[in-house]
Amino acid sequence: MDSILVRGGAELNGRIPIAGAKNACLALMPATLLTEEPLTLTNAPRLSDISTMALLLESLGVDVATRDDGRELALASHGLSGHRADYEIVRRMRASILVLGPLLAREGRAVVSLPGGCAIGARPVDLHQMAMEALGAELELRDGYLHAHAPQGLRGAGIDFPIVSVGATENALMAATLARGTTVIRNAAREPEIVDLAQCLRRMGAQIEGEGTSTITIEGVERLTGATHPVVIDRIELGSYMIAPAITGGRVECLGGARALVANFADKLEEAGIRVEETADGLATHRTGERVRAVHVITEPYPGFPTDLQAQMMALLATADGVSILEERIFENRFMHAPELARMGADIEVHGGTATVRGVPRLRGAPVMATDLRASVSLVLAGLGAEGETRVARVYHLDRGYETVEQKLRACGADIERIRET
Ligand code: UD1
């Protein structure tokens, strides 16, 4: 298994191109199942999670071709050959559940493996199930698989989510585009990835209003058509690289970045003493003082502080002047990076969903282990600012969500390399 070796201490200066959003692309790809015509996604990120979704779609009979060096995905679901999402693929990636809604809408049936637990918590799929039932599908759990049927087709309905779920909102949105009548999703997720999906579906002929607010209304249509759609910028990759110079010193400009995508996060960075500048090509950040200031962070659904940037923020606050509090309100077990950061000298105490971080002047390099995608990038970031060498093991997590991370950072002056192991 590959690892990443970082020798800390170098200031970062330069420009980093930000890719299309993994999480948007993972929802856009299954939308191909809603139409027989081709769906082309441009600005796609080149990541292993995207290949996993491609594999899953291929197993259902979708033609997947990549062009423009992997940046363009041409998807065509002329005739589907299956409606079963197998455990072998689903267990690798939870987002596989996103084929449920489109398959039900198009085929009237779907069999999707339960994703199982993951490192950051139990992450059930009851809300996905509830949404499909509201649209008239019958679901049954058998042998670890959700068996869903809608023999009469789906019909529009009110879907009231008890808590905000990005994935369940996406499944409901896709399924409702082909349901008979009107669907109103209340307490919908408002993430930019939901807005991107709605825009793509509208290009395909769907009738949708209200995306980006907590009430989305969908008027079902007979059929959808093909379309070409550019994937929105990855706000989590953007936020991760905005933190890098805040840790190391220097100034990095993230190309394609927009403040609107990370408004709450950018405000928090400014509170911590990081200057966030809007430039002609994106967003640039640099630290204004010798050390950052301690802040209080609470993760919440969009437009709140994203849970997917909590680990990176903790890496930054590990060397802040003062005591920071991070409250994780989305996932119950998302502090696995804390003991790894502690191996590097961070002073972090975790009680339930709250981490108290007492800033130390400097971290020291150490061998550490990535436990999930965002945790792994937080360890790389911490290593960039630490004294000495940090070796981050299990970087396959990193490759799920960050394109060529070592190249992007090296181009800005980081001393970082990938150690390939067979
Ligand atoms: C998506 C993102 C992930 C991000 C998360 C929260 C993708 C591919 N992944 O994940 O990176 O961290 O949003 O912003 O887009 N829940 C239930 N029942 C369900 C579904 C969810 O209880 O059926 C709970 C979850 O356990 C969690 C909360 O709802 O506590 C929010 O999860 P959700 O928004 O669904 O996350 P994902 O869509 O899985």
Side-chain angles (χ1 to χ4, degrees):
M1 267 185 278
D2 293 1
S3 53
I4 294 234
L5 187 65
V6 187
R7 288 181 201 88
E11 256 197 12
L12 295 187
N13 285 290
R15 310 173 94 197
I16 296 183
I18 305 300
K22 168 181 83 79
N23 286 351
C25 199
L26 288 176
L28 291 163
M29 292 170 76
T32 184
L33 296 167
L34 293 164
T35 176
E36 294 192 345
E37 296 181 20
L39 173 65
T40 303
L41 300 173
T42 58
N43 196 37
R46 292 173 295 187
L47 299 168
S48 62
D49 269 9
I50 301 301
S51 313
T52 303
M53 182 57 86
L55 209 64
L56 175 59
L57 293 175
E58 280 173 339
S59 77
L60 299 169
V62 178
D63 285 335
V64 181
T66 52
R67 296 195 284 251
D68 187 19
D69 204 15
R71 296 248 167 259
E72 190 171 306
L73 297 173
L75 309 166
S77 312
H78 311 296
L80 297 178
S81 58
H83 58 274
R84 179 186 167 94
D86 208 75
Y87 179 62
E88 263 320 295
I89 303 180
V90 177
R91 72 184 173 87
R92 285 196 237 165
M93 188 182 67
R94 257 187 75 79
S96 306
I97 190 80
L98 295 175
V99 300
L100 176 66
L103 274 179
L104 259 177
R106 165 107 172 255
E107 296 283 282
R109 59 187 179 154
V111 180
V112 181
S113 167
L114 287 181
C118 75
I120 63 175
R123 297 180 87 178
V125 292
D126 54 317
L127 301 174
H128 297 255
Q129 196 171 340
M130 183 207 110
M132 296 306 117
E133 280 168 352
L135 295 173
E138 287 164 23
L139 284 92
E140 194 194 343
L141 180 62
R142 229 184 311 130
D143 316 323
Y145 282 79
L146 267 179
H147 294 252
H149 295 266
Q152 316 301 326
L154 297 175
R155 48 174 164 63
I159 302 174
D160 293 272
F161 284 119
I163 60 169
V164 177
S165 162
V166 176
T169 301
E170 290 166 343
N171 248 331
L173 178 58
M174 287 191 276
T177 57
L178 292 179
R180 278 191 314 280
T182 309
T183 298
V184 181
I185 307 175
R186 293 187 200 86
N187 204 18
R190 291 181 275 169
E191 269 68 2
E193 294 75 28
I194 303 277
V195 174
D196 202 39
L197 176 62
Q199 282 169 353
C200 176
L201 292 169
R202 202 177 288 120
R203 283 193 161 112
M204 295 165 71
Q207 292 192 16
I208 301 168
E209 267 174 34
E211 74 274 14
T213 76
S214 45
T215 304
I216 307 178
T217 307
I218 304 113
E219 202 64 56
V221 295
E222 269 301 291
R223 58 184 293 276
L224 295 180
T225 63
T228 297
H229 178 81
V231 180
V232 67
I233 286 286
D234 195 318
R235 66 196 165 94
I236 306 301
E237 190 194 22
L238 169 65
S240 304
Y241 288 124
M242 284 168 74
I243 284 184
I247 290 183
T248 60
R251 177 181 182 274
V252 168
E253 185 180 9
C254 294
L255 306 178
R259 188 163 180 132
L261 288 173
V262 285
N264 184 297
F265 168 74
D267 290 350
K268 227 6 123 183
L269 283 186
E270 283 177 339
E271 204 184 313
I274 312 304
R275 182 152 153 63
V276 180
E277 265 171 86
E278 291 180 82
T279 65
D281 299 318
L283 277 185
T285 45
H286 71 271
R287 191 175 68 212
T288 54
E290 204 32 55
R291 285 174 74 180
V292 295
R293 289 191 290 270
V295 290
H296 187 163
V297 173
I298 302 175
T299 66
E300 281 170 331
Y302 192 87
F305 190 100
T307 174
D308 285 353
L309 286 171
Q310 179 258 107
Q312 301 87 315
M313 195 68 180
M314 189 184 282
L316 172 69
L317 296 174
T319 55
D321 189 6
V323 181
S324 300
I325 307 285
L326 291 123
E327 288 181 55
E328 174 56 57
R329 299 255 178 101
I330 309 288
F331 294 112
E332 69 266 32
N333 185 23
R334 206 173 198 184
F335 285 133
M336 282 95 55
H337 42 284
E340 298 299 314
L341 290 169
R343 293 174 53 74
M344 302 175 69
D347 181 351
I348 303 168
E349 222 177 287
V350 173
H351 284 292
T354 303
T356 305
V357 183
R358 291 185 180 78
V360 295
R362 189 113 198 241
L363 297 183
R364 292 179 308 276
V368 288
M369 184 96 77
T371 45
D372 73 64
L373 170 54
R374 309 303 172 185
S376 55
V377 81
S378 79
L379 297 172
V380 170
L381 291 172
L384 292 172
E387 200 178 302
E389 253 182 35
T390 298
R391 191 179 176 126
V392 185
R394 293 205 184 159
V395 290
Y396 58 86
H397 289 295
L398 198 64
D399 298 331
R400 291 185 46 201
Y402 292 87
E403 268 187 17
T404 59
V405 66
E406 61 280 23
Q407 270 138 276
K408 288 187 181 186
L409 288 168
R410 208 179 307 123
C412 294
D415 187 347
I416 178 170
E417 63 185 303
R418 178 176 293 248
I419 313 286
R420 297 204 180 269
E421 276 155 45
T422 43

